[in-house]
Amino acid sequence: MTRPIPDGKPSMPSHPFPAARRLTDPPRDATLRAPGARVAVLASLLQLFGASLALPSLGLALALPFALPACASYPTLVKDGMPLPTENWISEEDEEESSESRKKWFEELHRSAPDVDWRLIERRNGEQQREKRNQLASMAAVSTRWSEVGSRNQAGRMHVVAMAPDGQSLYAGSALGGVWHGTLDGHDWTPLGDNIYGGAHFLAVVAGAQPGAPDVVLRATEDGLIHVTRDNGATWQQPTGVNAVNSVRRALVRADGSGTIFLVARYADTFGVQRWALYRSTDAALSFQRVFIIGTAAGDAWVSRTGPSPVWVLTGNKLRISNNDGDTFTDVSSLPVTTTAGELAGSEAGAPRFWAALDVGGTRTLYRSDNAGLNWSSVTQLTDYWTGSVNASIVNADLVAYGGLECFRSANAGASFTKVNTWSDYYGDVVNKLHADIPGIDVLPNGAGGEFWYVDTDGGLFLSTNGLVSVTNLSLNGLRVSQYYTTLTSAANPLHVVAGAQDQGYQRASAASSDPGGTLLDFAQIISGDYGHATSGDGTHAFVYSVYPGFVLVQKGEGLPQLYQVDFPSAETYSWLPFILADPLNNQRFFFCASHLYRYVKSGPSAWIPSQWSTQNFAAGSGEHLAALAYSPLDKLRMYGVTNNGRFFRSSDQGVTWAQGTGSGPGPQYLYGQAIVASNQDINTAYVGGSGYSNPAVWRTTDGGVTWQPWSDGLPATLVYCMAQAQDGSGALFAGTERGCFRRDPTSAAWVDITSNEAPITVYWSVESVPSSHVMRFGTYGRGIWDYSLDDPCTYEAHGTGLGGSNTVVLDSGSTTHIGSTHTLNISGAPPSLAGALLYSPSPASIPFKGGTLLVDVGLLLQIPVSTNGSGAASLPLAIPNDPLLVGFPLNFQAAFKQGPSGPWAFSNGLTATLCP
């Protein structure tokens, strides 16, 4: 059944669209792609560099390894014409089921062997990305390809705010969008956390070591990532003393100017028992020490926000106090119940008055103490509560609030609570009404004897200056932390961009810029909920299809769109956000992936009728379904599919009949097929991407889907969320993963990390080619939309930094890559006074070798001799002939050193470039 969406949606604003920066395409002689021509050009480079094909001094003639080792049907969920939030709704049985299904689906996407901890793997990946960014911060050979698209005026989940030590500005932490710095009233937002993964659930900010120095900003995540920046986010370091921490639930700063920081964090003791403890830093987060063991219960701590005070700690059965910063503690009282988890909030206006949200058997109850914790009384059961989202006023002992799906306040010491507003009120007044889902509430002194209340929501950050009587949205002017599942840019009008967000609905940008500089898009949220898999049969927005966990959303119309809801097929198995694909032969039809393949056909002015399109049952076992689908741009009847259990399928009649393909090499047993791309270069080539923790994350077929081989060289063990191929004729393939973006060209031996230090370290959930702007457009889950330019920047770009092991040398260049000029490559950090080589290949690679990673393809490898000076540095001028035949030729360099016949090896990062006119 199809239902039109009711009117009354927010009107569409005027929006910017970034102007494309495109260089004149260099002439490319097709004959240069032929192996013989490449050898001829290489011969001229050999003569130029004085290099040799063999590498006996480095021993690289050795044989090198090239091979790499069910959801239920959901009802339509609509309230006041808008789908419900899906993250923290616990009052409605159907939505609770949807929230749990979302979590189950997310876990299934990260499929791995039973003994493999994908979160631990991604934690290591995130640390490698951070180390990479720290190195790139001081290098010249960094990417200039990335530009941010937006949204400027929409925001996703926020977790925490902290005041700058001078009280004049604000720091804010997001879910997967890093740390932000802005004014107290929500302007001039600047990202500081693009170089770290995991966002910021907790913040602690203290003054820099010297007057005028940047503030010291510590961020911590719920899963125990703790890092500090002292240079406004250019680099982030882990403090000492927290290596064993695996979870954090509170960060506090003593308000006496001492810079003392406390963390409530969890660690595993020598017997493997998980225990919570209080950690303390007295040196501006350079180091921490564990000063008090709370126990196995998830406890909490509190200090005054306005001046010197004791430290109070909540354990599983007691409230304790320390008057010496945690060196020793004494009991204050026994709690009214024994809890497995509790949160502590206090009001300085009391003695102080304390509030404790205590968990007993999964039930949260709020307790109050009017005499600094000596006695406790039960206040109310918290039926709608997000862990840690209780807080109290500094100046009014009777004012307390907590959050869940909605925010509740009490001005009478908990005798009664009222909603700040109903979640659906937000859509009629985004400026003055709270968004749904409240992961945090922060109360900070305003410097004038009053206080600011900041409410962290799934739709950004809100401020109240009157104790939550009213609120103001601080997320409408540059707090760019949208969590996107999908984007789709119209082929008819590149100013038209739609995006599907987590809890920020289906969004649309449609016009020119109104923000200063005109570089970021504003989006209007035209319907609430979560939306993914936006697709169009002809690339325009005449008909756009996307999915909410309950129905297909249809946008009809490029200029003044109408929206319709279309039911899922009944009695079927599919994912939480089922995959759909518009029909390329008729943009008024679309395919729906389940245990069977369905096709929906437009019937009448506003109805789409489903029918089972194929008799193929994709469910070889319980819960299996078709998870991704693609057609060949070269033959739109040729289709490829993959199931959530990693089984490959092919069809030559647009999906009516199917044959299963087979994998070779390491089996795809733990592959959740999340992404699929059919080549626009070769009709028999296609690619599948998905979970890569216990098997390769990307697979390729070159025989039309009959057999599939691993194609993951260069990728870390990760989840590939999306893949797309450039439409500029280059054949370049792009992948978005849990930790960043990767590119692989047709002749490349490996994927290359292209996030550099421009694009944020976050989850890249979608990617599309936008030919009109000559970019690949990525949608991130936490940091909005970013464009990667396909235009050659004519500079060197570093890759393979932060790999560790033997890759300790830095290879850098600030040169442009024009022909007829001298390119200067600089080496630092090498073994001093040692002969080595600058390795060259036309193709990048990723090959484990001698404790490090070779980043150049050994299939065709050249050596340029190099010797370092006494400090382990060298400078190599390379005079490139002014030969037009060299334009477009790829350059890939890496430095390698070997200390004696049996000594250790040292490798550099890689440098990649293309010769420009």
Side-chain angles (χ1 to χ4, degrees):
M1 182 175 71
T2 305
R3 299 168 298 283
I5 305 296
D7 294 332
K9 303 177 290 295
S11 59
M12 297 300 300
S14 296
H15 308 306
F17 191 84
R21 175 182 56 83
R22 181 167 185 171
L23 304 175
T24 302
D25 290 333
R28 294 179 182 270
D29 190 336
T31 60
L32 282 178
R33 301 178 184 271
R38 289 188 178 274
V39 171
V41 176
L42 283 172
S44 67
L45 289 175
L46 274 174
Q47 186 176 10
L48 170 70
F49 296 149
S52 62
L53 278 170
L55 296 174
S57 62
L58 295 179
L60 288 176
L62 299 173
L64 299 176
F66 285 90
L68 288 177
C71 295
S73 176
Y74 299 105
T76 299
L77 304 169
V78 179
K79 180 179 181 181
D80 298 331
M82 290 170 292
L84 297 172
T86 58
E87 180 56 35
N88 199 42
W89 182 260
I90 60 176
S91 300
E92 297 284 346
E93 180 180 351
D94 289 334
E95 192 64 15
E96 182 176 4
E97 176 187 347
S98 183
S99 179
E100 290 304 312
S101 296
R102 175 180 176 271
K103 296 173 184 176
K104 180 180 178 181
W105 169 69
F106 187 76
E107 289 299 316
E108 187 182 8
L109 289 178
H110 295 83
R111 182 174 296 167
S112 60
D115 59 342
V116 173
D117 185 345
W118 70 264
R119 285 183 172 84
L120 179 59
I121 292 174
E122 291 295 2
R123 185 183 179 112
R124 293 168 182 160
N125 290 344
E127 282 297 278
Q128 182 176 309
Q129 283 279 10
R130 179 182 63 84
E131 292 167 2
K132 176 192 81 172
R133 300 299 186 94
N134 284 349
Q135 180 176 330
L136 286 172
S138 61
M139 293 180 64
V142 295
S143 173
T144 57
R145 294 177 180 263
W146 288 96
S147 60
E148 188 175 354
V149 177
S151 168
R152 185 186 68 91
N153 65 323
Q154 301 282 350
R157 181 181 301 171
M158 299 298 295
H159 276 279
V160 64
V161 297
M163 195 81 73
D166 63 5
Q168 301 302 304
S169 61
L170 194 69
Y171 293 90
S174 67
L176 287 173
V179 179
W180 291 75
H181 186 218
T183 62
L184 297 177
D185 60 352
H187 289 80
D188 299 328
W189 289 110
T190 301
L192 305 182
D194 284 347
N195 291 341
I196 50 171
Y197 178 80
H201 301 103
F202 309 96
L203 289 174
V205 184
V206 298
Q210 303 295 331
D215 292 334
V216 176
V217 181
L218 176 144
R219 75 89 194 227
T221 67
E222 291 175 346
D223 57 355
L225 295 172
I226 303 170
H227 296 100
V228 179
T229 182
R230 304 173 197 276
D231 53 14
N232 290 324
T235 61
W236 291 81
Q237 307 293 340
Q238 185 184 61
T240 61
V242 294
N243 289 342
V245 168
N246 56 53
S247 185
V248 175
R249 69 192 325 259
R250 186 71 72 188
L252 300 168
V253 176
R254 179 175 286 292
D256 59 0
S258 66
T260 301
I261 300 172
F262 297 98
L263 296 175
V264 177
R266 189 180 64 190
Y267 71 102
D269 67 15
T270 55
F271 300 100
V273 177
Q274 298 291 327
R275 298 188 183 276
W276 292 91
L278 183 71
Y279 290 76
R280 182 187 65 198
S281 172
T282 58
D283 55 10
L286 285 170
S287 64
F288 280 85
Q289 63 180 131
R290 190 187 308 142
V291 294
F292 177 71
I293 298 176
I294 295 172
T296 56
D300 202 357
W302 188 83
V303 296
S304 171
R305 294 158 288 188
T306 58
S309 80
V311 181
W312 280 273
V313 167
L314 186 77
T315 70
N317 58 4
K318 293 180 182 296
L319 182 69
R320 309 193 73 181
I321 189 172
S322 173
N323 289 298
N324 52 18
D325 280 349
D327 287 336
T328 60
F329 279 87
T330 59
D331 290 353
V332 176
S333 66
S334 295
L335 297 180
V337 294
T338 298
T339 181
T340 56
E343 289 81 52
L344 183 66
S347 173
E348 291 85 347
R353 171 174 279 169
F354 281 127
W355 304 86
L358 305 181
D359 187 335
V360 178
T363 298
R364 291 271 180 170
T365 302
L366 184 65
Y367 293 84
R368 186 187 75 224
S369 172
D370 299 330
N371 52 12
L374 290 174
N375 304 102
W376 297 88
S377 59
S378 175
V379 176
T380 187
Q381 186 173 323
L382 302 176
T383 57
D384 179 10
Y385 178 71
W386 195 308
T387 299
S389 65
V390 61
N391 217 327
S393 169
I394 297 170
V395 300
N396 181 353
D398 290 338
L399 182 58
V400 65
Y402 67 90
L405 169 71
E406 295 163 322
C407 186
F408 301 83
R409 70 183 292 272
S410 173
N412 54 15
S416 62
F417 283 86
T418 58
K419 290 181 185 178
V420 175
N421 60 259
T422 300
W423 72 265
S424 57
D425 293 344
Y426 165 83
Y427 297 97
D429 188 358
V430 299
V431 175
N432 301 300
K433 299 297 180 181
L434 290 176
H435 190 279
D437 295 327
I438 317 294
I441 300 174
D442 300 284
V443 187
L444 306 176
N446 67 5
E451 63 190 13
F452 295 128
W453 285 70
Y454 292 97
V455 183
D456 311 292
T457 80
D458 263 17
L461 180 65
F462 292 76
L463 167 67
S464 175
T465 58
N466 56 13
L468 297 180
V469 174
S470 63
V471 298
T472 301
N473 193 339
L474 302 187
S475 313
L476 303 176
N477 189 28
L479 187 58
R480 307 182 299 275
V481 293
S482 290
Q483 297 168 290
Y484 289 129
Y485 289 118
T486 186
T487 71
L488 183 65
T489 304
S490 173
N493 186 343
L495 295 176
H496 293 170
V497 184
V498 297
Q502 161 66 26
D503 266 7
Q504 273 292 78
Y506 183 75
Q507 302 177 13
R508 182 173 181 265
S510 65
S513 170
S514 61
D515 71 298
T519 59
L520 295 170
L521 285 169
D522 283 352
F523 280 75
Q525 184 181 171
I526 57 179
I527 186 172
S528 65
D530 301 7
Y531 296 88
H533 303 307
T535 179
S536 165
D538 61 3
T540 73
H541 285 183
F543 291 92
V544 177
Y545 310 96
S546 60
V547 289
Y548 171 88
F551 57 81
V552 176
L553 182 72
V554 180
Q555 172 185 316
K556 177 184 177 183
E558 179 86 38
L560 297 173
Q562 297 173 295
L563 298 183
Y564 301 90
Q565 295 176 4
V566 181
D567 287 341
F568 288 174
S570 60
E572 268 291 353
T573 299
Y574 37 77
S575 71
W576 186 76
L577 281 179
F579 191 92
I580 59 173
L581 180 68
D583 189 337
L585 301 179
N586 186 330
N587 66 353
Q588 299 184 30
R589 304 185 301 218
F590 66 90
F591 294 97
F592 183 98
C593 293
S595 55
H596 297 84
L597 180 63
Y598 288 79
R599 190 179 72 167
Y600 282 71
V601 177
K602 188 174 183 294
S603 176
S606 60
W608 278 260
I609 308 301
S611 62
Q612 186 175 311
W613 181 243
S614 173
T615 60
Q616 175 69 44
N617 185 354
F618 293 96
S622 175
E624 187 175 17
H625 55 270
L626 191 62
L629 185 69
Y631 63 86
S632 170
L634 305 176
D635 178 0
K636 294 175 182 179
L637 297 180
R638 177 80 65 90
M639 299 187 83
Y640 298 93
V642 62
T643 73
N644 59 323
N645 286 349
R647 294 195 300 137
F648 310 113
F649 287 87
R650 66 188 188 278
S651 171
S652 59
D653 54 11
Q654 206 186 20
V656 176
T657 60
W658 293 88
Q660 184 175 344
T662 60
S664 62
Q669 179 181 0
Y670 296 102
L671 176 73
Y672 186 111
Q674 170 74 358
I676 191 166
V677 173
S679 171
N680 56 25
Q681 305 283 301
D682 177 14
I683 194 172
N684 291 313
T685 297
Y687 312 88
V688 162
S691 49
Y693 303 104
S694 301
N695 47 233
V698 176
W699 295 70
R700 181 181 69 165
T701 180
T702 57
D703 57 12
V706 178
T707 60
W708 296 77
Q709 298 79 35
W711 210 61
S712 286
D713 302 53
L715 286 177
T718 190
L719 169 61
V720 171
Y721 282 93
C722 58
M723 291 194 301
Q725 196 165 21
Q727 297 182 38
D728 61 354
S730 67
L733 191 65
F734 295 83
T737 76
E738 186 83 24
R739 286 297 181 272
C741 303
F742 292 80
R743 172 176 180 163
R744 189 164 180 177
D745 293 293
T747 59
S748 295
W751 292 89
V752 173
D753 182 351
I754 58 172
T755 49
S756 185
N757 65 346
E758 286 189 308
I761 304 175
T762 190
V763 173
Y764 288 78
W765 206 295
S766 70
V767 60
E768 59 169 321
S769 177
V770 185
S772 59
S773 300
H774 212 226
V775 300
M776 300 300 295
R777 177 158 293 166
F778 289 87
T780 77
Y781 192 79
R783 194 56 181 85
I785 302 169
W786 289 73
D787 282 352
Y788 175 85
S789 175
L790 295 171
D791 293 322
D792 198 323
C794 296
T795 58
Y796 283 94
E797 298 176 66
H799 67 95
T801 56
L803 291 177
S806 300
N807 292 74
T808 57
V809 181
V810 176
L811 179 62
D812 197 10
S813 177
S815 298
T816 63
T817 60
H818 299 289
I819 60 173
S821 64
T822 297
H823 304 184
T824 301
L825 276 57
N826 298 304
I827 295 172
S828 60
S833 305
L834 188 68
L838 181 69
L839 310 179
Y840 165 80
S841 175
S843 172
S846 179
I847 304 169
F849 183 69
K850 299 297 181 181
T853 305
L854 282 176
L855 298 170
V856 290
D857 187 0
V858 296
L860 188 54
L861 187 64
L862 311 179
Q863 170 183 253
I864 304 170
V866 58
S867 295
T868 61
N869 60 23
S871 63
S875 180
L876 289 86
L878 305 178
I880 305 298
N882 190 16
D883 184 349
L885 284 177
L886 294 176
V887 171
F889 201 79
L891 303 175
N892 288 279
F893 293 111
Q894 183 181 25
F897 296 88
K898 187 174 186 295
Q899 300 178 48
S902 58
W905 287 68
F907 300 100
S908 75
N909 57 279
L911 281 186
T912 184
T914 302
L915 291 177
C916 289

